[in-house]
PDB file of all heavy atoms in Angstrom:
ATOM      1  N   GLU B1100       0.137  18.183  17.715  1.00  0.00           N
ATOM      2  CA  GLU B1100       0.509  17.097  18.641  1.00  0.00           C
ATOM      3  C   GLU B1100       0.970  17.669  19.983  1.00  0.00           C
ATOM      4  O   GLU B1100       0.649  17.168  21.010  1.00  0.00           O
ATOM      5  CB  GLU B1100       1.588  16.210  17.995  1.00  0.00           C
ATOM      6  CG  GLU B1100       2.230  15.216  18.921  1.00  0.00           C
ATOM      7  CD  GLU B1100       1.233  14.363  19.689  1.00  0.00           C
ATOM      8  OE1 GLU B1100       0.173  14.003  19.123  1.00  0.00           O
ATOM      9  OE2 GLU B1100       1.535  14.030  20.878  1.00  0.00           O
ATOM     10  N   ARG B1101       1.740  18.744  19.859  1.00  0.00           N
ATOM     11  CA  ARG B1101       2.232  19.377  21.119  1.00  0.00           C
ATOM     12  C   ARG B1101       1.074  19.863  21.961  1.00  0.00           C
ATOM     13  O   ARG B1101       1.103  19.782  23.193  1.00  0.00           O
ATOM     14  CB  ARG B1101       3.166  20.558  20.797  1.00  0.00           C
ATOM     15  CG  ARG B1101       4.233  20.758  21.819  1.00  0.00           C
ATOM     16  CD  ARG B1101       5.239  21.784  21.364  1.00  0.00           C
ATOM     17  NE  ARG B1101       4.760  23.137  21.624  1.00  0.00           N
ATOM     18  CZ  ARG B1101       5.179  24.233  20.930  1.00  0.00           C
ATOM     19  NH1 ARG B1101       6.041  24.102  19.927  1.00  0.00           N
ATOM     20  NH2 ARG B1101       4.709  25.398  21.218  1.00  0.00           N
ATOM     21  N   ARG B1102       0.059  20.349  21.337  1.00  0.00           N
ATOM     22  CA  ARG B1102      -1.105  20.852  22.071  1.00  0.00           C
ATOM     23  C   ARG B1102      -2.008  19.717  22.593  1.00  0.00           C
ATOM     24  O   ARG B1102      -2.447  19.751  23.708  1.00  0.00           O
ATOM     25  CB  ARG B1102      -2.001  21.736  21.165  1.00  0.00           C
ATOM     26  CG  ARG B1102      -1.440  23.049  20.901  1.00  0.00           C
ATOM     27  CD  ARG B1102      -1.359  23.901  22.175  1.00  0.00           C
ATOM     28  NE  ARG B1102      -0.451  25.012  21.990  1.00  0.00           N
ATOM     29  CZ  ARG B1102      -0.742  26.055  21.206  1.00  0.00           C
ATOM     30  NH1 ARG B1102      -1.916  26.119  20.597  1.00  0.00           N
ATOM     31  NH2 ARG B1102       0.142  27.004  21.034  1.00  0.00           N
ATOM     32  N   SER B1103      -2.248  18.736  21.740  1.00  0.00           N
ATOM     33  CA  SER B1103      -3.190  17.679  22.165  1.00  0.00           C
ATOM     34  C   SER B1103      -2.480  16.613  22.973  1.00  0.00           C
ATOM     35  O   SER B1103      -3.099  15.961  23.832  1.00  0.00           O
ATOM     36  CB  SER B1103      -3.824  17.062  20.926  1.00  0.00           C
ATOM     37  OG  SER B1103      -2.872  16.329  20.163  1.00  0.00           O
ATOM     38  N   GLY B1104      -1.205  16.395  22.678  1.00  0.00           N
ATOM     39  CA  GLY B1104      -0.433  15.397  23.435  1.00  0.00           C
ATOM     40  C   GLY B1104      -0.917  13.968  23.243  1.00  0.00           C
ATOM     41  O   GLY B1104      -0.693  13.068  24.066  1.00  0.00           O
ATOM     42  N   GLU B1105      -1.575  13.741  22.111  1.00  0.00           N
ATOM     43  CA  GLU B1105      -2.163  12.428  21.915  1.00  0.00           C
ATOM     44  C   GLU B1105      -1.112  11.314  21.838  1.00  0.00           C
ATOM     45  O   GLU B1105      -1.278  10.252  22.435  1.00  0.00           O
ATOM     46  CB  GLU B1105      -2.965  12.475  20.604  1.00  0.00           C
ATOM     47  CG  GLU B1105      -3.972  11.367  20.419  1.00  0.00           C
ATOM     48  CD  GLU B1105      -4.706  11.522  19.100  1.00  0.00           C
ATOM     49  OE1 GLU B1105      -5.240  12.657  18.845  1.00  0.00           O
ATOM     50  OE2 GLU B1105      -4.751  10.589  18.333  1.00  0.00           O
ATOM     51  N   VAL B1106      -0.064  11.574  21.137  1.00  0.00           N
ATOM     52  CA  VAL B1106       1.017  10.554  21.009  1.00  0.00           C
ATOM     53  C   VAL B1106       1.748  10.419  22.353  1.00  0.00           C
ATOM     54  O   VAL B1106       1.968   9.319  22.817  1.00  0.00           O
ATOM     55  CB  VAL B1106       1.977  10.875  19.863  1.00  0.00           C
ATOM     56  CG1 VAL B1106       3.156   9.936  19.869  1.00  0.00           C
ATOM     57  CG2 VAL B1106       1.279  10.863  18.534  1.00  0.00           C
ATOM     58  N   ALA B1107       2.055  11.530  22.927  1.00  0.00           N
ATOM     59  CA  ALA B1107       2.889  11.498  24.189  1.00  0.00           C
ATOM     60  C   ALA B1107       2.123  10.910  25.335  1.00  0.00           C
ATOM     61  O   ALA B1107       2.675  10.182  26.158  1.00  0.00           O
ATOM     62  CB  ALA B1107       3.320  12.932  24.501  1.00  0.00           C
ATOM     63  N   TRP B1108       0.819  11.253  25.441  1.00  0.00           N
ATOM     64  CA  TRP B1108       0.080  10.861  26.642  1.00  0.00           C
ATOM     65  C   TRP B1108      -0.865   9.686  26.483  1.00  0.00           C
ATOM     66  O   TRP B1108      -1.416   9.204  27.474  1.00  0.00           O
ATOM     67  CB  TRP B1108      -0.721  12.058  27.207  1.00  0.00           C
ATOM     68  CG  TRP B1108       0.207  13.123  27.620  1.00  0.00           C
ATOM     69  CD1 TRP B1108       0.486  14.322  26.982  1.00  0.00           C
ATOM     70  CD2 TRP B1108       1.067  13.103  28.773  1.00  0.00           C
ATOM     71  NE1 TRP B1108       1.427  15.018  27.673  1.00  0.00           N
ATOM     72  CE2 TRP B1108       1.805  14.317  28.779  1.00  0.00           C
ATOM     73  CE3 TRP B1108       1.263  12.188  29.822  1.00  0.00           C
ATOM     74  CZ2 TRP B1108       2.696  14.625  29.806  1.00  0.00           C
ATOM     75  CZ3 TRP B1108       2.219  12.492  30.808  1.00  0.00           C
ATOM     76  CH2 TRP B1108       2.899  13.706  30.783  1.00  0.00           C
ATOM     77  N   VAL B1109      -1.077   9.249  25.238  1.00  0.00           N
ATOM     78  CA  VAL B1109      -2.014   8.152  25.058  1.00  0.00           C
ATOM     79  C   VAL B1109      -1.314   6.999  24.293  1.00  0.00           C
ATOM     80  O   VAL B1109      -1.207   5.858  24.850  1.00  0.00           O
ATOM     81  CB  VAL B1109      -3.234   8.625  24.224  1.00  0.00           C
ATOM     82  CG1 VAL B1109      -4.191   7.423  23.950  1.00  0.00           C
ATOM     83  CG2 VAL B1109      -3.983   9.716  24.939  1.00  0.00           C
ATOM     84  N   THR B1110      -0.800   7.256  23.123  1.00  0.00           N
ATOM     85  CA  THR B1110      -0.259   6.160  22.285  1.00  0.00           C
ATOM     86  C   THR B1110       1.016   5.580  22.911  1.00  0.00           C
ATOM     87  O   THR B1110       1.178   4.366  22.963  1.00  0.00           O
ATOM     88  CB  THR B1110       0.049   6.700  20.872  1.00  0.00           C
ATOM     89  OG1 THR B1110      -1.074   7.420  20.397  1.00  0.00           O
ATOM     90  CG2 THR B1110       0.310   5.506  19.933  1.00  0.00           C
ATOM     91  N   LEU B1111       1.910   6.448  23.370  1.00  0.00           N
ATOM     92  CA  LEU B1111       3.154   5.982  23.961  1.00  0.00           C
ATOM     93  C   LEU B1111       2.898   5.145  25.254  1.00  0.00           C
ATOM     94  O   LEU B1111       3.444   4.008  25.330  1.00  0.00           O
ATOM     95  CB  LEU B1111       4.057   7.197  24.252  1.00  0.00           C
ATOM     96  CG  LEU B1111       5.531   6.959  24.487  1.00  0.00           C
ATOM     97  CD1 LEU B1111       6.166   6.227  23.356  1.00  0.00           C
ATOM     98  CD2 LEU B1111       6.239   8.309  24.661  1.00  0.00           C
ATOM     99  N   PRO B1112       2.103   5.629  26.181  1.00  0.00           N
ATOM    100  CA  PRO B1112       1.829   4.790  27.340  1.00  0.00           C
ATOM    101  C   PRO B1112       1.134   3.518  26.972  1.00  0.00           C
ATOM    102  O   PRO B1112       1.378   2.468  27.608  1.00  0.00           O
ATOM    103  CB  PRO B1112       0.924   5.683  28.201  1.00  0.00           C
ATOM    104  CG  PRO B1112       1.190   7.039  27.773  1.00  0.00           C
ATOM    105  CD  PRO B1112       1.557   6.990  26.332  1.00  0.00           C
ATOM    106  N   PHE B1113       0.283   3.549  25.959  1.00  0.00           N
ATOM    107  CA  PHE B1113      -0.444   2.356  25.516  1.00  0.00           C
ATOM    108  C   PHE B1113       0.589   1.307  24.999  1.00  0.00           C
ATOM    109  O   PHE B1113       0.521   0.117  25.324  1.00  0.00           O
ATOM    110  CB  PHE B1113      -1.399   2.733  24.381  1.00  0.00           C
ATOM    111  CG  PHE B1113      -2.454   1.734  24.056  1.00  0.00           C
ATOM    112  CD1 PHE B1113      -2.719   0.687  24.906  1.00  0.00           C
ATOM    113  CD2 PHE B1113      -3.226   1.888  22.907  1.00  0.00           C
ATOM    114  CE1 PHE B1113      -3.722  -0.238  24.622  1.00  0.00           C
ATOM    115  CE2 PHE B1113      -4.218   0.974  22.587  1.00  0.00           C
ATOM    116  CZ  PHE B1113      -4.459  -0.103  23.437  1.00  0.00           C
ATOM    117  N   GLY B1114       1.573   1.783  24.247  1.00  0.00           N
ATOM    118  CA  GLY B1114       2.647   0.893  23.779  1.00  0.00           C
ATOM    119  C   GLY B1114       3.460   0.340  24.932  1.00  0.00           C
ATOM    120  O   GLY B1114       3.829  -0.836  24.932  1.00  0.00           O
ATOM    121  N   ALA B1115       3.722   1.168  25.915  1.00  0.00           N
ATOM    122  CA  ALA B1115       4.458   0.721  27.092  1.00  0.00           C
ATOM    123  C   ALA B1115       3.695  -0.342  27.847  1.00  0.00           C
ATOM    124  O   ALA B1115       4.272  -1.328  28.317  1.00  0.00           O
ATOM    125  CB  ALA B1115       4.754   1.923  27.977  1.00  0.00           C
ATOM    126  N   VAL B1116       2.413  -0.156  27.946  1.00  0.00           N
ATOM    127  CA  VAL B1116       1.561  -1.141  28.640  1.00  0.00           C
ATOM    128  C   VAL B1116       1.616  -2.472  27.899  1.00  0.00           C
ATOM    129  O   VAL B1116       1.687  -3.539  28.527  1.00  0.00           O
ATOM    130  CB  VAL B1116       0.103  -0.632  28.765  1.00  0.00           C
ATOM    131  CG1 VAL B1116      -0.814  -1.759  29.167  1.00  0.00           C
ATOM    132  CG2 VAL B1116       0.026   0.472  29.804  1.00  0.00           C
ATOM    133  N   ALA B1117       1.568  -2.393  26.554  1.00  0.00           N
ATOM    134  CA  ALA B1117       1.671  -3.626  25.754  1.00  0.00           C
ATOM    135  C   ALA B1117       2.969  -4.385  26.048  1.00  0.00           C
ATOM    136  O   ALA B1117       2.957  -5.603  26.190  1.00  0.00           O
ATOM    137  CB  ALA B1117       1.613  -3.290  24.251  1.00  0.00           C
ATOM    138  N   LEU B1118       4.047  -3.653  26.170  1.00  0.00           N
ATOM    139  CA  LEU B1118       5.342  -4.302  26.484  1.00  0.00           C
ATOM    140  C   LEU B1118       5.305  -4.919  27.881  1.00  0.00           C
ATOM    141  O   LEU B1118       5.974  -5.941  28.132  1.00  0.00           O
ATOM    142  CB  LEU B1118       6.489  -3.263  26.424  1.00  0.00           C
ATOM    143  CG  LEU B1118       6.883  -2.833  25.020  1.00  0.00           C
ATOM    144  CD1 LEU B1118       7.900  -1.698  25.085  1.00  0.00           C
ATOM    145  CD2 LEU B1118       7.497  -3.990  24.212  1.00  0.00           C
ATOM    146  N   LEU B1119       4.528  -4.332  28.786  1.00  0.00           N
ATOM    147  CA  LEU B1119       4.445  -4.874  30.121  1.00  0.00           C
ATOM    148  C   LEU B1119       3.541  -6.106  30.172  1.00  0.00           C
ATOM    149  O   LEU B1119       3.741  -7.004  31.006  1.00  0.00           O
ATOM    150  CB  LEU B1119       3.833  -3.802  31.070  1.00  0.00           C
ATOM    151  CG  LEU B1119       4.797  -2.785  31.650  1.00  0.00           C
ATOM    152  CD1 LEU B1119       4.058  -1.665  32.343  1.00  0.00           C
ATOM    153  CD2 LEU B1119       5.788  -3.442  32.602  1.00  0.00           C
ATOM    154  N   LEU B1120       2.546  -6.158  29.336  1.00  0.00           N
ATOM    155  CA  LEU B1120       1.600  -7.256  29.363  1.00  0.00           C
ATOM    156  C   LEU B1120       2.233  -8.558  28.858  1.00  0.00           C
ATOM    157  O   LEU B1120       1.838  -9.635  29.325  1.00  0.00           O
ATOM    158  CB  LEU B1120       0.375  -6.925  28.471  1.00  0.00           C
ATOM    159  CG  LEU B1120      -0.552  -5.829  29.005  1.00  0.00           C
ATOM    160  CD1 LEU B1120      -1.713  -5.589  28.045  1.00  0.00           C
ATOM    161  CD2 LEU B1120      -1.093  -6.173  30.381  1.00  0.00           C
ATOM    162  N   VAL B1121       3.162  -8.451  27.953  1.00  0.00           N
ATOM    163  CA  VAL B1121       3.754  -9.661  27.338  1.00  0.00           C
ATOM    164  C   VAL B1121       4.368 -10.563  28.394  1.00  0.00           C
ATOM    165  O   VAL B1121       4.053 -11.777  28.434  1.00  0.00           O
ATOM    166  CB  VAL B1121       4.714  -9.299  26.183  1.00  0.00           C
ATOM    167  CG1 VAL B1121       5.515 -10.519  25.777  1.00  0.00           C
ATOM    168  CG2 VAL B1121       3.974  -8.713  25.020  1.00  0.00           C
ATOM    169  N   PRO B1122       5.250 -10.100  29.239  1.00  0.00           N
ATOM    170  CA  PRO B1122       5.853 -10.979  30.229  1.00  0.00           C
ATOM    171  C   PRO B1122       4.808 -11.558  31.203  1.00  0.00           C
ATOM    172  O   PRO B1122       4.929 -12.704  31.656  1.00  0.00           O
ATOM    173  CB  PRO B1122       6.825 -10.079  31.026  1.00  0.00           C
ATOM    174  CG  PRO B1122       7.119  -8.983  30.069  1.00  0.00           C
ATOM    175  CD  PRO B1122       5.880  -8.737  29.319  1.00  0.00           C
ATOM    176  N   ILE B1123       3.761 -10.792  31.454  1.00  0.00           N
ATOM    177  CA  ILE B1123       2.682 -11.308  32.296  1.00  0.00           C
ATOM    178  C   ILE B1123       2.021 -12.484  31.652  1.00  0.00           C
ATOM    179  O   ILE B1123       1.644 -13.464  32.277  1.00  0.00           O
ATOM    180  CB  ILE B1123       1.664 -10.204  32.596  1.00  0.00           C
ATOM    181  CG1 ILE B1123       2.279  -9.081  33.479  1.00  0.00           C
ATOM    182  CG2 ILE B1123       0.422 -10.732  33.299  1.00  0.00           C
ATOM    183  CD1 ILE B1123       1.469  -7.820  33.628  1.00  0.00           C
TER     184      ILE B1123
END
Side-chain angles (χ1 to χ4, degrees):
Chain B
E1100 170 52 35
R1101 210 171 84 205
R1102 286 293 163 72
S1103 68
E1105 198 178 309
V1106 173
W1108 295 106
V1109 178
T1110 314
L1111 198 54
F1113 197 13
V1116 166
L1118 287 173
L1119 277 171
L1120 290 180
V1121 168
I1123 293 170

